[in-house]
């Protein structure tokens, strides 16, 4: 009898040797005459346990991890194909609190199914949302998405249903669905994990979006640094065409949707939706002034829906289980679930999909297990490089868009980067400003010039040259950037800078004064 094993092909698992482990298992099985099938699935999102190996047994999947090549022989001798004891045995992952306490809606299949098999996708409730959508009028699909309360997961949290309604109502023989898979924020990896672990759910979500607004062509704009996601998408798209899920006769309905992947060249600003459109059109990625909104005049001037990977991948379950089912998760105006990503100095880094409403503290300690170094957590940056640095006194803030806005923070993508008490927050403030200077598209002055001057001013504050005056100047500059920038790169960079200044003022007076010549001026 064939025994099925699962070894993740997710980039996080490959980085710690999963490929070698999978090969060693296959070789050992051949050597000992064991009949095994190794499925290369996505990651379950518990990175400290990778490379993780799961064995399908009559009692369910039994996990072992982290497994190294040197463990493989011992695992076979111990009888791991029957789920036997071994020092790396973890048991059923569903019994581990980190996993058991999650509410996996969008990531329901990630780490479970074979991302290269559309049959596996179908047998785990895949395509049910699409089948329902095919029987619905476009306006009813849009209504379901609106009623679910789904807001964009790419940062701005704009209600998806309102955007879709705008595109539906816009006149145009050709409309487009664009998936923003640029995922440039520090500490984020949920888009990548989803595309590598369950690419079909994104494809299904994009087809539903096409049916909803009358678009027949979709593009996934993928950052070029994601080769494994690219492979997974290419394979899934080919198999979706072969199975008439994509193309001119979606599941025999006579309706059409085509889908292509386009690789970005790696600029952070190309994640901003209008720069992304310029880049997709073959131009240098630069921010466009709005209006017009992309939903009215987007790609090649046509009505275009641009949504983040997780936003689109959340749509199939809404259509399948109903708007109310999805809406019942969450708090306030933040409905559904958010795949949170724990990164930086954290013991248990990985992905936690939870309904909105748990606190940052629960996430950091109950899931994350505190810092990796064992030292106190001093600060976290939530929401990527444009998110505020939050001190311990704000760790009880619930994961909710409005609650974060109230403390001048931002949930953004749900990426959380953790720092222990050895961090220098003045250097972090400088880093935030420097990041903006490097990544600015250069279109508007407050961002292009302001961020460069901002780095210089922070250097002067740290070096104690006219500290009080330069601190006033920095606040003034930040005010100009917030109010005068064309897009959120320049407009939000002041938040991490000012939060560091506000919550960690002692770090701005740490270093000994430098000669002005070292700073390049006064
Ligand atoms: C500088 C900058 C970078 C951005 N990068 C991304 C990104 O990598 N991925 C993403 O989905 N949204 C990104 N966004 C947000 C997009 O502009 C846009 O709001 C999003 O794609 C809309 O999709 P959603 O409504 O599903 O979130 C970025 C915005 C800015 C200002
Ligand atoms: S704020 Fe910066 S990135 Fe945005 S348009 Fe202006 S120069 Fe470009």
């Amino acid at each position: 009898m064939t025994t099925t094993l699962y070894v993740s092909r997710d980039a996080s698992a490959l980085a710690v040797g999963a490929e070698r482990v999978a090969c060693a298992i296959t070789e050992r099985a051949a050597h000992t005459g064991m009949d095994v099938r190794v499925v290369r699935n996505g990651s379950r999102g518990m990175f400290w346990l990778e490379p993780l190996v799961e064995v399908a047994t009559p009692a369910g999947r039994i996990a072992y991890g982290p497994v190294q090549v040197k463990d493989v022989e011992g695992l076979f001798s111990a009888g791991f194909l029957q789920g036997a004891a071994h020092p790396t045995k973890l048991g059923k992952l569903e019994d581990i609190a980190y996993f058991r306490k999650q509410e996996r809606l969008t990531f329901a299949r990630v780490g479970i199914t074979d991302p290269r098999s559309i049959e596996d996708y179908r047998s785990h409730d895949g395509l049910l949302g699409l089948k329902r959508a095919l029987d619905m009028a476009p306006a009813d699909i849009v209504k379901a998405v609106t009623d679910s309360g789904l807001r964009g997961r790419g940062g701005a949290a704009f209600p998806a249903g309102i955007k879709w309604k705008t595109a539906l109502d816009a006149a145009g023989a050709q409309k487009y669905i664009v998936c923003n898979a640029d995922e440039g924020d520090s500490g984020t990896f949920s888009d990548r994990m989803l595309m590598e672990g369950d690419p079909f759910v994104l494809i299904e979500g994009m087809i539903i979006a096409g049916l909803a607004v009358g678009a027949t062509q979709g593009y996934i704009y993928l950052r070029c640094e994601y080769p494994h996601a690219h492979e997974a998408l290419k394979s899934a798209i080919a198999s979706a065409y072969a199975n008439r899920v994509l193309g001119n006769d979606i599941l025999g309905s006579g309706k059409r949707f085509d889908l292509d992947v386009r690789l970005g060249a790696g600029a952070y600003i190309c994640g901003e939706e209008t720069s992304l459109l310029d880049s997709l059109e073959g131009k240098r990625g630069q921010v466009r002034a709005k209006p017009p909104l992309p939903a009215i005049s987007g790609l090649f001037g046509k009505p275009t829906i641009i949504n983040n990977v997780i936003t689109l991948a959340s749509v199939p379950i809404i259509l399948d289980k109903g708007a109310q089912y999805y809406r019942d998760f969450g708090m306030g105006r933040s409905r559904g679930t958010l795949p949170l990503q724990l990164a930086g100095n954290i013991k248990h880094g990985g992905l936690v999909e939870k309904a909105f409403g748990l606190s940052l503290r629960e996430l950091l300690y109950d899931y994350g297990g505190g810092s990796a170094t064992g030292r106190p957590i001093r600060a976290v940056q939530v929401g990527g490089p444009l998110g505020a640095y939050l001190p311990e006194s704000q760790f009880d803030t619930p994961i909710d868009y409005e609650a974060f806005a109230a403390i001048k923070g931002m949930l953004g993508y749900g990426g959380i980067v953790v720092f222990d008490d050895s961090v220098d927050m003045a250097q972090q403030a400088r880093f935030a400003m420097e990041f903006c200077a490097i990544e600015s598209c250069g279109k508007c002055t407050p961002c292009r010039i302001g961020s460069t001057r901002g780095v210089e001013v922070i250097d002067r504050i740290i070096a104690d040259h006219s500290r009080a005056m330069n601190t006033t100047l920095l606040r003034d500059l930040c005010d100009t950037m917030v109010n005068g920038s064309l897009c959120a790169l320049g407009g939000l960079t002041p938040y991490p800078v000012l939060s560091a200044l506000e919550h960690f003022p002692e770090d701005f007076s740490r270093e000994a004064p430098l000669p002005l010549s070292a700073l390049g001026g006064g």
Side-chain angles (χ1 to χ4, degrees):
M1 200 185 77
T2 308
T3 306
T4 304
L5 292 121
Y6 298 86
V7 183
S8 173
R9 208 202 305 249
D10 185 275
S12 65
L14 295 179
V16 288
E19 191 67 38
R20 289 192 299 276
V21 170
C23 290
I25 289 174
T26 310
E27 280 166 19
R28 189 74 204 159
H31 185 71
T32 52
M34 304 274 190
D35 185 9
V36 302
R37 182 174 76 103
V38 180
V39 173
R40 306 304 305 276
N41 57 344
S43 171
R44 297 274 204 141
M46 294 183 276
F47 293 161
W48 72 101
L49 298 178
E50 296 288 0
L52 185 81
V53 176
E54 286 183 89
V55 185
T57 74
R61 284 191 197 179
I62 304 298
Y64 297 81
V67 173
Q68 302 299 328
V69 170
K70 64 178 167 45
D71 300 318
V72 170
E73 195 178 330
L75 280 164
F76 273 92
S77 318
F80 87 128
L81 294 183
Q82 290 77 45
H86 184 270
T88 61
K89 183 172 176 180
L90 300 162
K92 288 187 194 169
L93 290 184
E94 288 73 11
D95 294 337
I96 297 177
Y98 191 95
F99 196 80
R100 188 185 64 242
K101 292 195 296 179
Q102 296 191 35
E103 286 140 319
R104 289 204 165 198
L105 304 186
T106 310
F107 276 70
R109 277 173 295 262
V110 176
I112 308 284
T113 51
D114 177 354
R116 308 282 161 110
S117 164
I118 199 162
E119 294 75 29
D120 211 10
Y121 183 66
R122 274 184 206 268
S123 66
H124 286 81
D125 293 343
L127 302 179
L128 295 182
L130 175 59
K131 282 184 189 148
R132 197 144 295 166
L134 283 166
D135 291 333
M136 291 165 73
D140 291 334
I141 305 176
V142 173
K143 185 170 183 311
V145 172
T146 308
D147 291 349
S148 74
L150 177 67
R151 292 163 75 177
R153 301 293 191 238
F158 189 78
I162 296 181
K163 191 185 280 187
W164 288 27
K165 171 105 174 63
T166 309
L168 171 64
D169 292 345
Q174 178 67 61
K175 299 182 187 180
Y176 296 105
I177 307 296
V178 173
C179 170
N180 189 342
D182 201 49
E183 194 163 60
D185 280 359
S186 41
T188 57
F189 43 81
S190 59
D191 291 0
R192 181 190 59 68
M193 271 186 71
L194 193 285
M195 291 183 287
E196 291 180 8
D198 190 14
F200 293 109
V201 76
L202 173 59
I203 295 170
E204 185 179 350
M206 291 186 72
I207 302 171
I208 295 171
L211 296 172
V213 305
T216 52
Q217 175 69 51
Y219 293 102
I220 299 172
Y221 184 88
L222 178 71
R223 59 180 303 147
C224 65
E225 295 93 335
Y226 280 177
H228 305 107
H230 191 200
E231 285 306 314
L233 287 170
K234 278 194 300 189
S235 157
I237 289 172
S239 121
Y241 271 109
N243 286 274
R244 293 202 308 171
V245 173
L246 283 168
N248 58 12
D249 188 19
I250 304 168
L251 297 177
S253 65
K255 294 177 181 167
R256 169 179 203 105
F257 192 77
D258 290 301
L259 183 58
D260 288 294
V261 182
R262 292 282 184 273
L263 293 183
Y268 180 68
I269 198 59
C270 285
E272 192 282 333
E273 58 186 18
T274 60
S275 296
L276 186 156
L277 291 177
D278 266 15
S279 174
L280 207 48
E281 289 178 9
K283 303 171 194 154
R284 170 184 162 198
Q286 250 199 336
V287 175
R288 298 178 184 174
K290 286 190 269 190
L293 295 169
I296 291 168
S297 176
L299 188 63
F300 304 114
K302 309 291 182 205
T304 303
I305 291 289
I306 307 179
N307 273 134
N308 166 257
V309 171
I310 302 298
T311 316
L312 289 161
S314 301
V315 167
I317 195 165
I318 292 171
L319 269 292
D320 174 24
K321 300 220 158 126
Q324 193 59 45
Y325 174 85
Y326 192 79
R327 205 186 170 79
D328 282 345
F329 292 87
M331 68 172 279
R333 288 176 49 221
S334 305
R335 308 313 312 174
T337 58
L338 185 65
L340 294 142
Q341 301 126 84
L342 285 170
N345 191 341
I346 189 86
K347 193 170 172 197
H348 292 153
L351 184 126
V352 176
E353 183 176 353
K354 279 293 285 179
F356 289 91
L358 82 162
S359 72
L360 192 50
R361 194 181 297 280
E362 281 175 85
L363 202 54
L364 294 173
Y365 293 99
D366 296 356
Y367 289 88
S371 73
T373 50
R375 299 173 68 95
I377 296 178
R378 183 164 183 239
V380 293
Q381 188 177 31
V382 184
L386 311 177
Y389 293 109
L390 308 178
E392 212 268 345
S393 60
Q394 294 182 327
F395 287 179
D396 290 313
T397 309
I399 301 294
D400 164 58
Y401 294 117
E402 279 62 42
F404 266 69
I407 58 162
K408 294 195 187 140
M410 179 174 81
L411 257 189
Y413 245 77
I416 296 169
V417 180
V418 181
F419 302 88
D420 74 10
D421 62 353
S422 63
V423 66
D424 180 341
M425 294 306 295
Q427 288 302 328
Q428 288 303 126
R430 186 188 191 282
F431 171 76
M433 201 52 112
E434 191 183 33
F435 179 82
C436 181
I438 293 168
E439 296 293 340
S440 170
C441 84
K443 188 149 179 171
C444 67
T445 315
C447 170
R448 185 183 71 247
I449 307 290
S451 54
T452 299
R453 294 288 92 87
V455 174
E456 295 164 4
V457 174
I458 294 173
D459 279 344
R460 289 203 289 271
I461 295 171
I462 293 172
D464 198 14
H465 285 287
S466 310
R467 179 171 286 145
M469 189 201 79
N470 276 303
T471 305
T472 306
L473 189 60
L474 180 62
R475 290 186 192 282
D476 201 27
L477 173 67
C478 283
D479 187 59
T480 305
M481 288 175 73
V482 168
N483 293 300
S485 296
L486 183 56
C487 86
L489 178 51
L492 293 180
T493 290
Y495 285 82
V497 173
L498 293 175
S499 62
L501 199 57
E502 187 180 332
H503 301 302
F504 308 95
E506 62 278 17
D507 288 18
F508 288 79
S509 51
R510 267 186 182 171
E511 300 189 8
L514 293 173
L516 270 187
S517 56
L519 305 174

